[in-house]
Amino acid sequence: MNKIASILLATVIAVVILGGFIVILGGSILGALLFVVGIPFAFPMSTSIVVLFFAVIIVRTVIEKRRQRQEVQKYLTPADD
């Protein structure tokens, strides 16, 4: 039963993705949205890797900005000598 459900789900998703691609060629925004939404279902591993890559870049950027802000605060606060 699970195999049949998996095959049916994969077929529906494939039809949506292919339909979205065809409509993109026609120039429809709705088709483009369906295509973009369908990509993670078609390529879950590739999508996960891309999301992970951008998440790492964002986290590193946030940490770097925080570190720079702390350095500026250290520099601006008067020393307690």
Side-chain angles (χ1 to χ4, degrees):
M1 186 65 180
N2 286 340
K3 286 185 179 183
I4 294 172
S6 299
I7 291 171
L8 287 175
L9 182 63
T11 304
V12 168
I13 291 172
V15 167
V16 168
I17 290 172
L18 289 175
F21 184 71
I22 290 169
V23 177
I24 285 175
L25 295 177
S28 172
I29 295 176
L30 180 63
L33 289 175
L34 281 176
F35 183 73
V36 169
V37 168
I39 291 282
F41 292 106
F43 308 106
M45 283 298 293
S46 300
T47 306
S48 299
I49 291 170
V50 169
V51 168
L52 184 64
F53 175 75
F54 283 112
V56 167
I57 289 176
I58 291 169
V59 168
R60 288 183 65 194
T61 304
V62 168
I63 290 173
E64 179 67 21
K65 292 289 185 187
R66 185 177 296 158
R67 186 185 62 76
Q68 287 176 357
R69 197 176 321 127
Q70 288 174 351
E71 286 180 1
V72 168
Q73 286 296 332
K74 265 192 211 177
Y75 180 76
L76 292 177
T77 41
D80 294 334
D81 290 334

